[in-house]
Amino acid sequence: MSDHTMYLHTQGLKLAHSSIGDPAAPAVVFANGGGQTRHAWKAAAEAVALEGHRSIAMDLPGHGDSDWAADGDYSLEAIARDLMGIAEQLAPRGIRPHVAGASLGGLAATVAAGRLSRDAFMSVTLFDIGPNMDAVGVTKVVGFMGAHIENGIESLEQAADLFAIYLPHRPRPKDLNGLRKNLRQDSKRRWRLDPAFIKDVMRRRAVARTGDIKQAIQNICVLLNLIRGHMSELVSEESVTTFRALAPDAHCTDVAGAGHMVTGDRNDIFTDAIATVLRQLHEAPT
């Protein structure tokens, strides 16, 4: 995937994305998780492009190279409307895009397809989100993102140390250049993330909206898929059982050896999973 940054505009915001694949092919919009950037999708986007799709890896508002929301509104509804605006721009000939969302991006995709615009996407693929998300796991994830948002990080080495503590099952990277894409630098290194996003997430607490998320999942009328990290801190086996009851026709994949950050934990298996799912979706009647 090219590192060349391009932009789409929606709701007054300029949203960064990277694109790979035939511009005339059906699009797959990759929506990042909270605190991540579009670069987390590199391997998956390349694999999906090889399957004949156009991959659009997004930086959601407040993340990466995208604009920060002037009003600090990072609600699921606001981000869902951004995804719908992106979908409209990518479907000039009436060919709806697929959407694949991790964590925050998956929740926003669920709200978009299950509450706001049930025909915005051709399919919805969710990465490690679902009903009944574990409150302790959510607190851990948000706490990690927010711990150094104000005071910054001294070096790439310190950032790698923080990830090693947070993700002890994942080997500490020897090459730290990948971390540069997730950090901006002024007097210190900081996550490429609007501090207001953390405050908004902590105020709204998605886990408190279990009923809304369940209803949205149940409302989704297009092809629906869940890819879960088997070691997920957020999505338990019980949550998957609930998901299956709400969406009995959905396709579920369990990625062994992966936690909540599925794309980084087992990128090889994750990439195979999404390529297989989208191949099936591409071949299925709509």
Side-chain angles (χ1 to χ4, degrees), residues 52-67:
H53 293 78
R54 177 190 179 195
S55 295
I56 306 291
M58 300 298 308
D59 283 340
L60 292 179
H63 293 72
D65 295 310
S66 288
D67 284 348

Side-chain angles (χ1 to χ4, degrees), residues 26-32 41 48 53-58 60 79-80 82-88 90 95-114 117-127 220 222-227 274 277-278 281:
V28 179
V29 178
F30 290 92
N32 60 277
W41 297 109
V48 167
H53 293 78
R54 177 190 179 195
S55 295
I56 306 291
M58 300 298 308
L60 292 179
I79 298 173
D82 290 323
L83 289 177
M84 289 160 50
I86 292 165
E88 290 176 1
L90 294 176
I95 302 175
R96 296 171 294 160
H98 303 275
V99 64
S103 192
L104 170 70
L107 287 169
T110 299
V111 171
S117 181
R118 298 176 68 180
D119 60 352
F121 305 104
M122 189 176 296
S123 72
V124 178
T125 300
L126 308 175
F127 299 91
I220 292 175
V222 297
L223 294 163
L224 177 61
N225 309 274
L226 172 64
I227 299 177
I274 187 172
V277 165
L278 287 172
L281 295 178

Side-chain angles (χ1 to χ4, degrees), residues 138-149:
V138 172
T139 299
K140 179 183 176 183
V141 172
V142 175
F144 173 74
M145 289 191 295
H148 298 271
I149 199 74

Side-chain angles (χ1 to χ4, degrees), residues 108-188:
T110 299
V111 171
R115 284 185 49 209
L116 302 183
S117 181
R118 298 176 68 180
D119 60 352
F121 305 104
M122 189 176 296
S123 72
V124 178
T125 300
L126 308 175
F127 299 91
D128 216 55
I129 69 98
N132 305 329
M133 289 188 296
D134 184 85
V136 174
V138 172
T139 299
K140 179 183 176 183
V141 172
V142 175
F144 173 74
M145 289 191 295
H148 298 271
I149 199 74
E150 296 291 349
N151 295 329
I153 299 169
E154 296 294 338
S155 63
L156 289 176
E157 288 75 16
Q158 184 188 6
D161 290 341
L162 293 172
F163 271 109
I165 294 170
Y166 176 63
L167 302 169
H169 61 283
R170 186 190 298 182
R172 189 182 190 280
K174 296 179 180 179
D175 183 357
L176 303 184
N177 284 324
L179 287 173
R180 295 182 189 276
K181 295 177 180 178
N182 292 314
L183 295 164
R184 57 186 173 87
Q185 185 167 11
D186 43 37
S187 59
K188 293 185 179 181

Side-chain angles (χ1 to χ4, degrees), residues 16-30:
H17 72 280
S18 298
S19 175
I20 183 172
D22 182 358
V28 179
V29 178
F30 290 92

Side-chain angles (χ1 to χ4, degrees), residues 252-274:
C252 296
T253 302
D254 200 75
V255 180
H260 181 58
M261 292 185 173
V262 180
T263 55
D265 287 337
R266 292 301 307 274
N267 216 335
D268 54 344
I269 299 176
F270 160 80
T271 299
D272 289 343
I274 187 172

